[in-house]
Amino acid sequence: MSLKQGIGSAEYLVKRVPKNVKYQHIKSKLDTGCSLTKYMEKVEYMKSNYRYKKDEIFKRLKVTTFAQLILQVASVSEHNLSLSECELNTPEDALSVASEELESLTVRSAERQDARDIHTARSTLLSVINGTGELSVEQSPDPESSLDSDRPYPDCPYLLLDVRHRDQYDSCHIISAHSFPATFLHRTMNPYTKEVLEYKNAPGKIIIVYDEDEHIASQAATIMCQRGFENLFMLSGGLKVLSQKFPGSLVSGPLPPVCVSSSDSVRGRRVSPPSGHTRAEQRWRFTADELNHLTVQLEEVLLPSNNSSRMSSRISSVSSQSARSRQSSSSCSSRPWR
């Protein structure tokens, strides 16, 4: 006589715990290694934030690499500026510069007085002939100063281009980015600006294009690579991934609704998109607070990928220290007592 009776019901083995949407964004801090769930989450993240294609002819630039590039360029420019200030603050140089300035001022004052008498009569004659007003030599803009003001840093190794529409650039863009709508590429005459022509295939310089979600930037990068741009990169993920990795550090102005929803859904927050049209501040350089904030965020982003290596290095250092202590104890025990 056999007894075919189990303990409990088999339905409890199949039944799953219902999920609560309120705590869906909370995850465990314990890393249990690779799993199918983590792999599927990574695949979904790649599909929602990136647009990879098999026939891409342009190169991609990671957001973390772009942040490291910004920090390096800012540190190098600050170092060069401090060196130039130290050179000018030396006593011998200060005396020589002061003496040269005094001599130049005396010579210039005499030359300007003579030039004013000649230039006033000539400028009035030319203004009558050409139909323009008098031109002031003293107030004429310096081409070198205007050229430097158009760049984020002197001799900057990268040129950041926003290929979205001009209105979208005015509302929100990355600091130090130039507006270069993708519609410029369809022009028959002069499709490129002077900055693009200066950086095109220049040694030691690159061009970076970006948009919100790689939809426009991938097309623009493909066209420019087909036209001979060899140093062109596309910012992988665009503003969408940039707002997730480094919120509030690299962007000027309120983020677009696509970037706001994607970045806040990861953290489990609900933030309404910005209302009204606000113009973003156009700046070519980052402030010290923004650079410090970016450094902290970059360390937080790069730490999870290096946890295993750091743990292994710590284990190896602890094992080496223990081995050294054992060797020292054995050598002390082997020595004869005196």
Side-chain angles (χ1 to χ4, degrees):
M1 184 176 180
S2 61
L3 183 61
K4 296 182 179 180
Q5 185 177 0
I7 300 174
S9 177
E11 296 180 357
Y12 292 104
L13 299 175
V14 185
K15 187 177 180 180
R16 295 186 177 181
V17 179
K19 295 182 179 180
N20 193 345
V21 182
K22 184 178 180 181
Y23 303 101
Q24 190 175 3
H25 64 282
I26 299 177
K27 298 181 181 180
S28 62
K29 295 183 179 179
L30 181 62
D31 190 4
T32 57
C34 299
S35 62
L36 182 60
T37 306
K38 293 181 180 179
Y39 178 74
M40 295 304 297
E41 289 178 356
K42 187 176 181 180
V43 170
E44 292 296 330
Y45 178 79
M46 299 289 285
K47 288 182 179 180
S48 60
N49 295 319
Y50 302 95
R51 297 175 181 268
Y52 286 101
K53 296 181 181 179
K54 295 182 179 180
D55 56 347
E56 289 181 354
I57 60 176
F58 53 85
K59 293 169 282 190
R60 287 176 173 265
L61 184 69
K62 292 183 179 180
V63 174
T64 53
T65 308
F66 176 63
Q68 292 175 357
L69 178 62
I70 290 174
L71 292 175
Q72 290 177 1
V73 171
S75 62
V76 169
S77 64
E78 185 179 358
H79 179 67
N80 294 335
L81 182 61
S82 62
L83 287 178
S84 61
E85 289 179 355
C86 291
E87 290 176 356
L88 289 175
N89 289 332
T90 54
E92 295 180 357
D93 294 340
L95 292 174
S96 61
V97 169
S99 61
E100 290 177 359
E101 287 181 355
L102 289 174
E103 294 178 359
S104 61
L105 284 174
T106 54
V107 174
R108 286 176 185 175
S109 60
E111 290 179 354
R112 285 177 182 175
Q113 187 65 28
D114 298 336
R116 283 175 184 174
D117 300 336
I118 301 172
H119 184 71
T120 49
R122 186 177 181 182
S123 61
T124 52
L125 179 60
L126 292 176
S127 63
V128 172
I129 296 173
N130 298 327
T132 59
E134 292 188 4
L135 300 176
S136 178
V137 180
E138 297 179 355
Q139 298 179 357
S140 60
D142 190 5
E144 295 182 357
S145 61
S146 62
L147 184 62
D148 292 336
S149 63
D150 292 340
R151 296 180 181 177
Y153 295 99
D155 296 331
C156 186
Y158 69 90
L159 176 65
L160 188 61
L161 300 178
D162 192 328
V163 296
R164 299 175 299 162
H165 197 265
R166 181 69 185 186
D167 296 337
Q168 296 176 341
Y169 171 82
D170 293 336
S171 61
C172 175
H173 62 270
I174 302 176
I175 300 172
S176 75
H178 295 257
S179 178
F180 184 76
T183 54
F184 286 1
L185 299 174
H186 302 290
R187 292 179 177 178
T188 306
M189 301 294 292
N190 301 325
Y192 308 115
T193 59
K194 62 177 183 178
E195 292 86 8
V196 176
L197 295 176
E198 288 177 1
Y199 279 80
K200 180 181 178 181
N201 299 333
K205 295 182 180 180
I206 61 174
I207 301 174
I208 307 171
V209 297
Y210 78 94
D211 63 346
E212 293 179 1
D213 54 355
E214 298 186 0
H215 181 70
I216 305 174
S218 59
Q219 299 177 2
T222 302
I223 295 174
M224 295 177 74
C225 287
Q226 290 175 351
R227 294 181 181 179
F229 284 82
E230 298 178 357
N231 60 341
L232 184 72
F233 290 82
M234 188 190 74
L235 189 62
S236 189
L239 282 174
K240 194 174 183 180
V241 178
L242 192 74
S243 60
Q244 298 176 12
K245 301 286 186 181
F246 310 103
S249 297
L250 302 175
V251 180
S252 175
L255 292 170
V258 179
C259 304
V260 173
S261 61
S262 62
S263 62
D264 293 327
S265 61
V266 175
R267 297 181 177 85
R269 302 175 184 175
R270 294 182 180 179
V271 179
S272 59
S275 59
H277 180 73
T278 57
R279 189 178 182 86
E281 182 184 1
Q282 188 172 2
R283 293 188 288 116
W284 305 114
R285 297 195 180 191
F286 297 88
T287 60
D289 295 336
E290 290 172 347
L291 293 174
N292 294 332
H293 191 202
L294 179 61
T295 305
V296 174
Q297 290 178 343
L298 185 62
E299 291 177 355
E300 293 178 356
V301 171
L302 297 179
L303 269 178
S305 61
N306 298 331
N307 277 338
S308 58
S309 61
R310 292 195 174 190
M311 288 295 293
S312 61
S313 63
R314 288 179 182 176
I315 293 171
S316 62
S317 63
V318 170
S319 61
S320 62
Q321 289 177 2
S322 60
R324 290 176 183 176
S325 61
R326 289 175 184 175
Q327 290 178 2
S328 61
S329 61
S330 61
S331 61
C332 291
S333 61
S334 61
R335 290 177 182 177
W337 176 259
R338 290 183 182 178

